[in-house]
Amino acid sequence: MGLASGEVVLHAAGRCEDGYGGWAAVLTHGSHQRELSGSGNGVTSHRMALTAVVEGLTALTRPSRVRICVADETLHEKRAQRRPPDEPDLWQRLRPLLARHHVVWVDVDDEYGEDDDQDEWAAETPCDLAAELAFHQHRGEEVRAGAQGEENTLAVAVSRFLAERWDDMHAFEAADDVISTLHFSIGWYGDTPFSEMAPAGIVDELGPFFSSTLPHKQHASPHELRTAKRVVTDLLNWLVANGHVDADAARDRLEDIDITVDERASLKEFVDAFGGDDLVPWPDRSRVEDRVDCQYLTIAEVADRSLTFKDYDSYDEDDGPVVGPVPVRPEIAARARTGWRILLSAVKVRGQWRLVEVVSGDP
C-alpha cells in the first residue's frame, strides 16, 4: 500500500484477558482501506495496542503522513515520557517507523472530546470488530487445547463444552464469560480447585454462584442473571448428556436456579426502577424528625402508591424502626414484594417518610 501523498489514518486496537489477546489495525487513505490483525499469548492490552500500531506502520511501503488513533492510555503516557521502560522489542521496531513517517498521535479525548463515551468511540472504530475476531480466534485455540485433556475434571469438560460452541462467536463469548465467573466463584467458595474438581461437583457450587457471586460480587444486571441461567442450563444439560452429572440432580438444581434467578432479577429491577425523581436529598437537620441511614429494612406492606418497611433484624422487633408508608410511583409498587430486605436511607419530615437512596437488596 505505497502512499506518498495524502493523509493515512491508522486506527489501532488491542484486547487482552487472562494473558491472551488480539490486536487489529485498519489503514485508511481516501476510499482505500486495509485491515490487519493477529493474536498473542502472555500479553497485555497495552502490548496488543502497541503491536497494532507497529504492524500498521510497517505495512506502509513509502513515507507517509499518518494520523494514529489509538485508545490506549499507557501508550500515550509512555510516548509523552519519552522513556518507554517496557515492551523494548516493540519500541525498538517503532522508533525507526516514527522517524520514517510524519506521525500525529490522536488520543480519544483529543479526537472526540472529553465528554464523549470512550466505549462508544471504540465501537465505532473500523478495527474494533477485527480486534474482537482476533481475540476470539486466539481464545478458541486455548479452549480447544484444554479440550484435549484426558483428565475427568470440570475444567476439561467445560473446555469441550465451549469448543463445541466456538463457531458462534456471540454464543461462545457469552458462555465463556459466565463460566469465567463460575471459575472465580468456585475458587472463592469451593474447597476443590476448578482444575481438580470432578464434573459432578459443579451441582453443589451453583447455589453460591447464583445467590452470592453474581448478585453481590459481580453486581450482575437482570439481563446478566438470565444469561447466566441460560448458559448454566445448557452446560448442565450437556454434562448430563455426556454422562458427567446425574439427570435428577441436574433437574433439581435447575429448578432451584430458576426460582433464584427470577427472584434476584425481579429484585434488581425493583432497585433499578428508582430514579432521581423518586428520591429526596438529605434535608437540613433541624427539619428531620427521624431518619434511617444506609440500613437493611424489610418490605412489610405494599400498597398501590406506597411501601412500608420494617426492621425485623433488630433485637426487639416491636421496637425496630418502621419507615412508611413511603410514597412511590405505581410502577415501582407493582414490582415490590413483601419480605424483600432493602438497603436504603430514608428521612421523616413533617410526619412524612421519604426515601433518600435505595442501594441494593436481598430476597
Side-chain angles (χ1 to χ4, degrees):
M1 183 179 177
L3 299 171
S5 61
E7 182 183 66
V8 178
V9 178
L10 167 58
H11 281 96
R15 176 181 171 183
C16 177
E17 290 183 19
D18 299 330
Y20 51 86
W23 62 267
V26 176
L27 294 161
T28 304
H29 179 252
S31 60
H32 301 284
Q33 193 171 88
R34 180 180 178 184
E35 297 182 2
L36 306 165
S37 63
S39 60
N41 202 27
V43 296
T44 63
S45 293
H46 167 56
R47 182 172 179 84
M48 290 289 91
L50 184 56
T51 299
V53 171
V54 170
E55 296 296 341
L57 291 176
T58 301
L60 298 175
T61 59
R62 285 184 283 178
S64 305
R65 290 183 288 113
V66 185
R67 180 159 58 99
I68 301 176
C69 302
V70 56
D72 182 77
E73 293 182 4
T74 303
L75 177 55
H76 289 291
E77 289 172 0
K78 303 305 179 189
R79 179 178 58 83
Q81 294 170 358
R82 299 183 183 279
R83 294 184 295 104
D86 54 6
E87 316 296 354
D89 57 324
L90 291 176
W91 281 99
Q92 186 175 2
R93 291 179 59 193
L94 180 60
R95 290 192 190 96
L97 293 170
L98 295 178
R100 175 179 172 79
H101 303 287
H102 178 72
V103 170
V104 175
W105 294 85
V106 179
D107 201 348
V108 176
D109 290 340
D110 297 334
E111 181 78 346
Y112 296 93
E114 294 183 358
D115 295 332
D116 286 348
D117 187 334
Q118 183 168 328
D119 290 338
E120 181 178 344
W121 174 85
E124 293 176 351
T125 60
C127 58
D128 185 64
L129 179 59
E132 185 77 9
L133 289 171
F135 171 83
H136 178 67
Q137 177 70 36
H138 192 48
R139 176 58 178 146
E141 294 170 1
E142 295 284 329
V143 167
R144 286 192 291 272
Q148 300 305 311
E150 297 180 358
E151 304 88 354
N152 184 30
T153 64
L154 180 60
V156 172
V158 163
S159 293
R160 291 172 181 166
F161 168 79
L162 288 172
E164 292 182 7
R165 283 148 183 79
W166 184 80
D167 288 339
D168 185 335
M169 185 176 76
H170 296 294
F172 172 87
E173 293 203 346
D176 195 27
D177 184 58
V178 170
I179 291 172
S180 175
T181 307
L182 177 60
H183 190 169
F184 162 80
S185 181
I186 290 175
W188 187 272
Y189 293 105
D191 296 325
T192 304
F194 190 87
S195 59
E196 300 175 10
M197 179 176 291
I202 191 176
V203 175
D204 293 330
E205 301 298 334
L206 293 175
F209 175 66
F210 281 101
S211 64
S212 297
T213 301
L214 284 177
H216 296 304
K217 289 183 171 56
Q218 299 297 318
H219 304 291
S221 68
H223 173 73
E224 289 168 331
L225 286 167
R226 294 181 176 114
T227 297
K229 183 182 78 169
R230 185 179 70 249
V231 169
V232 167
T233 298
D234 289 345
L235 175 59
L236 280 180
N237 287 332
W238 185 91
L239 290 171
V240 169
N242 285 272
H244 295 298
V245 172
D246 177 74
D248 291 337
R251 183 176 59 253
D252 291 344
R253 178 56 70 190
L254 287 174
E255 291 176 355
D256 293 339
I257 289 172
D258 192 55
I259 294 171
T260 300
V261 169
D262 176 70
E263 191 81 359
R264 290 285 180 182
S266 298
L267 194 154
K268 189 69 167 61
E269 288 169 341
F270 167 77
V271 171
D272 292 346
F274 286 89
D277 294 339
D278 301 306
L279 307 173
V280 299
W282 285 108
D284 185 87
R285 286 183 176 273
S286 62
R287 301 173 55 208
V288 175
E289 300 167 10
D290 201 355
R291 61 183 285 166
V292 170
D293 192 357
C294 209
Q295 182 175 342
Y296 271 105
L297 297 178
T298 301
I299 300 177
E301 297 179 16
V302 178
D304 290 342
R305 295 177 178 270
S306 68
L307 302 174
T308 300
F309 300 86
K310 188 170 182 178
D311 182 12
Y312 290 117
D313 295 329
S314 62
Y315 180 76
D316 185 347
E317 291 186 5
D318 293 333
D319 293 334
V322 175
V323 173
V326 178
V328 296
R329 288 179 287 125
E331 50 267 41
I332 291 180
R335 294 180 181 274
R337 298 182 188 177
T338 56
W340 280 351
R341 298 173 68 250
I342 308 299
L343 182 60
L344 58 85
S345 297
V347 63
K348 186 178 183 181
V349 176
R350 296 181 180 178
Q352 174 67 65
W353 279 100
R354 294 296 302 271
L355 293 170
V356 175
E357 61 177 345
V358 178
V359 181
S360 61
D362 275 314

